């Protein structure tokens, strides 16, 4: 029986725990730090912060862990997998050098340029004066991005040059995302697609495609969030098309990083815009997407532990073909009051058992247990996933279950997967 330690405390990590629990290998699962939902699943949650690499290594060694699965981006970029390797602990995820593809958007852009992966045109600015002097050269709308990690919120879409000039204060005055370089990109039109690929340093094996919703309000209005919902599969993107996309946007990156001596192991997430000129990469992430993972993993029929283990071994995924259910999965995110600018903590949550009683999967993202009650403890609080033979059936279950759950200030979008229903069942 393998012992697996999952690092993280969000809905993505709860989805990973649930998928690991379905493994025929019947693993013993630990989480650090985990959350209230993970603990209620009977998983031991260790008091270890995701940013404390030394404590992560110590916990893995003390508990004789066979495999560490690092969920969030911050410890990956900080070199958690390197530190675990130095301690002779096997870990799923890229090295700090390979994870730079998420840690720096400027680096990712340069990497795409070097290998010919299509992406939006862009310019990089180190100072406010430099940006102000050059904004007039751009067409609008334009996209302004912080170079470093920003929990999915470091992107502002500016419709006019005046908006962009005002937004410069966010990056260089307020420094909302820390001291950072600014990337200004052309605005791409089309539909977004999320495609994750398992990587073993040599091969990139696509997982099931998904589509996520980044804006807080229906109709893609309002500020960007970490993600307000997702669904899988995606109309017109079957596994053959997913393999073609992975060959175009994942494999060149894996090949180049191997050539540079920083092979990529783990999950490489490509956020794509399907434009009239073909797919273009919006961003790369060095880990499982959130909330895409919550819609993708419930459809996985292969043994997740086996796939993770093979990803750690160089070339271990050769000829791997993950199997997927034909069912659809729709995930709706329930967020707390004030999100994404702020979050509300300590609000009592009711109705989780009723939602689960309908057959939906309820994953905890920002919760805590207080006096026997589950309360809010973050911006994105719960992820409610419905599955079914059609997108409409999955979507109906997700929303029926989400409506059973209540807490003060609850926010959720009402249009998750609506376009999939329109296209598949029109």
């Amino acid at each position: 029986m393998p012992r697996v330690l999952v690092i993280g405390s969000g809905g993505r990590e709860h989805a990973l725990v649930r998928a690991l629990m379905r493994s025929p290998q019947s693993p013993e699962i630990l989480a650090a730090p985990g959350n209230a939902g993970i603990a209620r699943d009977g998983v031991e949650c260790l008091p270890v912060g995701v940013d404390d690499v030394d404590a992560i290594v110590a916990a893995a060694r003390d508990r004789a862990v066979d495999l560490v699965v690092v969920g969030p981006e911050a410890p990956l970029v900080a070199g958690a997998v390197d530190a675990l390797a130095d301690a002779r602990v096997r870990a799923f995820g890229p090295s700090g050098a390979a994870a730079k593809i998420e840690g720096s958007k400027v680096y990712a852009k340069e990497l795409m340029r070097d290998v010919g992966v299509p992406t939006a045109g862009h310019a990089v600015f180190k100072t406010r004066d430099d940006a102000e002097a050059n904004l007039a050269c751009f067409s609008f709308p334009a996209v302004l991005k912080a170079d470093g990690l920003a929990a999915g919120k470091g992107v502002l879409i500016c419709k006019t040059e005046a908006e962009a000039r005002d937004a410069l204060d966010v990056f260089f005055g307020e420094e909302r995302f820390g001291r950072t370089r600014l990337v200004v990109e052309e605005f791409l039109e089309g539909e977004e697609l999320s495609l994750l690929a398992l990587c073993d340093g040599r091969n990139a094996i696509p997982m099931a495609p998904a589509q996520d919703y980044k804006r807080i309000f229906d109709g893609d209005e309002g500020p960007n969030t970490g993600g307000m919902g997702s669904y899988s599969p995606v109309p017109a993107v079957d596994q053959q098309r997913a393999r073609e996309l992975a060959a175009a946007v994942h494999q060149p990156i894996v090949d180049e990083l191997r050539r540079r001596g920083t092979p990529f192991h783990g999950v490489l997430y490509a956020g794509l815009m399907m434009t009239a000129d073909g797919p273009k990469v919006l961003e790369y992430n060095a880990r499982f997407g959130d909330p895409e993972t919550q819609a993708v993993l419930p459809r996985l029929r292969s043994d997740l532990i086996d796939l993770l283990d093979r990803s750690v071994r160089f070339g271990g995924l050769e000829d791997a073909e993950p199997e997927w259910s034909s069912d659809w999965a729709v995930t709706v995110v329930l967020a707390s009051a004030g999100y994404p600018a702020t979050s509300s903590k300590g609000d009592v949550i009711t109705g989780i058992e009723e939602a689960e009683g309908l057959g939906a999967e309820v994953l905890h993202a920002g919760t805590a247990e207080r006096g026997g009650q589950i309360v809010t403890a973050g911006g994105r609080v719960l992820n409610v996933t419905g599955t079914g033979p059609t997108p409409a059936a999955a979507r109906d279950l997700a929303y029926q279950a989400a409506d059973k759950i209540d807490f003060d200030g609850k926010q959720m979008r009402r249009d998750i997967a609506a376009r999939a229903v329109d296209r598949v069942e029109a």
Side-chain angles (χ1 to χ4, degrees):
M1 177 190 299
R3 181 175 294 167
V4 182
L5 172 60
V6 177
I7 305 299
S9 61
R12 165 185 50 224
E13 287 74 38
H14 200 177
L16 285 165
V17 165
R18 288 277 178 89
L20 291 168
M21 291 172 70
R22 293 191 288 269
S23 168
Q25 299 185 49
S26 301
E28 178 186 352
I29 304 172
L30 307 171
N35 61 37
I38 292 173
R40 287 199 168 190
D41 281 348
V43 173
E44 182 181 356
C45 293
L46 309 178
V48 174
V50 297
D51 296 321
D52 192 339
V53 172
D54 290 341
I56 290 171
V57 173
R61 295 189 67 178
D62 291 347
R63 302 305 292 268
V65 168
D66 297 300
L67 180 66
V68 177
V69 181
V70 184
E73 60 274 20
L76 290 170
V77 172
V81 170
D82 307 80
L84 288 161
D86 290 343
R88 300 186 181 279
V89 178
R90 301 180 76 247
F92 174 86
S95 65
K100 189 177 179 181
I101 196 168
E102 179 169 6
S104 169
K105 291 179 177 61
V106 174
Y107 172 78
K109 285 288 192 180
E110 293 170 347
L111 190 59
M112 285 185 267
R113 177 200 63 203
D114 290 347
V115 300
V117 170
T119 186
H122 75 288
V124 180
F125 302 106
K126 295 181 180 179
T127 67
R128 180 172 190 154
D129 288 346
D130 194 17
E132 285 182 331
N134 288 279
L135 275 182
C137 300
F138 286 86
S139 298
F140 288 88
V143 184
L144 277 61
K145 296 182 177 181
D147 176 40
L149 297 179
K153 303 172 191 173
V155 178
L156 297 178
I157 298 174
C158 300
K159 296 179 180 179
T160 65
E161 182 182 336
E163 279 188 24
R165 292 189 181 281
D166 290 343
L168 292 180
D169 191 57
V170 171
F171 295 94
F172 294 113
E174 179 185 334
E175 294 187 346
R176 185 182 302 174
F177 312 111
R179 303 197 73 176
T180 180
R181 290 179 290 182
L182 173 67
V183 179
V184 181
E185 286 186 352
E186 68 170 319
F187 179 81
L188 296 178
E189 294 196 42
E191 250 186 62
E192 290 192 44
L193 177 73
S194 300
L195 187 62
L196 294 79
L198 293 166
C199 303
D200 62 7
R202 184 167 64 193
N203 303 291
I205 307 298
M207 302 187 76
Q211 190 166 85
D212 79 330
Y213 293 73
K214 291 185 172 62
R215 301 290 195 95
I216 184 68
F217 301 128
D218 289 6
D220 294 327
E221 297 291 336
N224 263 21
T225 71
M228 290 300 293
S230 60
Y231 67 88
S232 177
V234 177
V237 186
D238 58 15
Q239 281 307 115
Q240 176 57 37
R241 180 58 172 148
R243 284 190 285 269
E244 293 169 358
L245 289 169
V249 302
H250 295 84
Q251 193 64 54
I253 299 296
V254 172
D255 291 342
E256 177 64 11
L257 291 180
R258 182 179 70 251
R259 189 192 69 78
R260 295 184 181 189
T262 56
F264 192 101
H265 294 258
V267 167
L268 182 59
Y269 165 113
L272 304 173
M273 184 66 80
M274 309 302 283
T275 75
D277 297 323
K280 295 187 178 184
V281 174
L282 296 172
E283 64 173 347
Y284 285 112
N285 292 163
R287 37 73 190 180
F288 282 102
D290 185 346
E292 292 92 341
T293 301
Q294 292 87 308
V296 168
L297 288 185
R299 301 184 56 237
L300 180 65
R301 291 297 170 261
S302 301
D303 179 6
L304 181 61
I305 291 182
D306 178 62
L307 292 172
L308 300 182
D309 179 74
R310 293 175 68 177
S311 300
V312 175
R313 292 184 277 118
F314 182 79
L317 290 168
E318 190 72 36
D319 299 324
E321 291 190 15
E323 295 183 12
W324 303 96
S325 166
S326 60
D327 276 355
W328 290 71
V330 175
T331 298
V332 177
V333 172
L334 309 186
S336 67
Y339 182 76
T342 61
S343 63
S344 179
K345 299 181 179 180
D347 299 314
V348 175
I349 304 169
T350 61
I352 293 176
E353 293 78 9
E354 290 85 348
E356 292 173 328
L358 294 176
E361 180 172 69
V362 180
L363 300 172
H364 292 234
T367 64
E369 187 159 355
R370 186 184 66 191
Q373 293 181 308
I374 301 296
V375 300
T376 61
R380 292 186 294 173
V381 177
L382 295 168
N383 310 146
V384 182
T385 300
T387 56
T390 66
R395 184 174 188 272
D396 287 347
L397 176 56
Y399 277 108
Q400 287 168 12
D403 285 334
K404 294 288 185 183
I405 299 171
D406 194 31
F407 52 87
D408 286 347
K410 181 181 82 170
Q411 300 186 80
M412 68 178 185
R413 285 182 58 155
R414 289 281 176 183
D415 60 349
I416 306 301
R419 65 170 67 100
V421 174
D422 291 343
R423 288 177 182 172
V424 174
E425 305 189 25

